[in-house]
Amino acid sequence: MMFRLIAAALLALTLSGPVHAQDPRSAGIEQTIQGQIDAFLVDDFPKAFGYASPTIKQLFKTPQRFGSMVRNGYPMVWRPTDVEFLELRTQGPFLFQKVLVRDAQGAPHVLEYNMIETDQGWQIDGVQLLAAPPVGA
């Protein structure tokens, strides 16, 4: 009887929410995203463009056009003051990495990076700005 109670409690804990077990793909994905952000911080648009997927490269054609898009459309990514990696989720064959960034004014923004694995390693295939987290996050 006691064994069943302990087993049930352990099962309930396991199923009660996301376990923070590290997905083996997380390290490479986080390195890719952080590498791109680090490149943006020093305006190294060719390096930042190197982290983009072939689809993104085809869409923007040049590192300068890509850099301009990020500077104007995603200023919180171009000049974050803080970066925190949240959960990595899968949806079918797709991988999405949530990232919390704080902009120059300290405002939080949650982004979701669509990641793909290529012969060159992990690459960013798109970024979506999600709803801002509650104040105090």
Side-chain angles (χ1 to χ4, degrees):
M1 178 71 173
M2 182 59 101
F3 175 76
R4 286 186 181 164
L5 285 175
I6 293 172
L10 288 174
L11 181 61
L13 285 173
T14 303
L15 298 176
S16 66
V19 177
H20 296 291
Q22 192 75 356
D23 185 305
R25 302 168 292 192
S26 292
I29 288 171
E30 290 177 11
Q31 287 173 348
T32 297
I33 295 168
Q34 188 65 58
Q36 187 179 65
I37 289 172
D38 290 345
F40 285 137
L41 285 169
V42 295
D43 291 335
D44 188 343
F45 297 123
K47 185 173 183 179
F49 198 52
Y51 292 102
S53 72
T55 302
I56 300 297
K57 289 174 182 167
Q58 180 65 30
L59 181 65
F60 290 99
K61 308 282 190 222
T62 70
Q64 291 71 30
R65 287 179 64 191
F66 177 69
S68 179
M69 179 277 300
V70 171
R71 207 172 32 247
N72 295 317
Y74 294 89
M76 74 290 290
V77 173
W78 178 54
R79 290 292 189 265
T81 59
D82 187 43
V83 177
E84 181 181 339
F85 292 93
L86 306 175
E87 69 267 11
L88 175 66
R89 71 176 178 89
T90 59
Q91 184 172 334
F94 304 105
L95 285 169
F96 298 93
Q97 176 66 58
K98 281 190 183 175
V99 180
L100 172 66
V101 297
R102 293 192 185 276
D103 64 21
Q105 289 73 41
H109 304 271
V110 177
L111 299 118
E112 190 167 64
Y113 283 75
N114 182 5
M115 304 299 297
I116 62 168
E117 192 168 22
T118 69
D119 292 341
Q120 290 76 42
W122 288 103
Q123 294 185 320
I124 300 166
D125 198 39
V127 178
Q128 178 180 0
L129 181 61
L130 302 178
V135 175

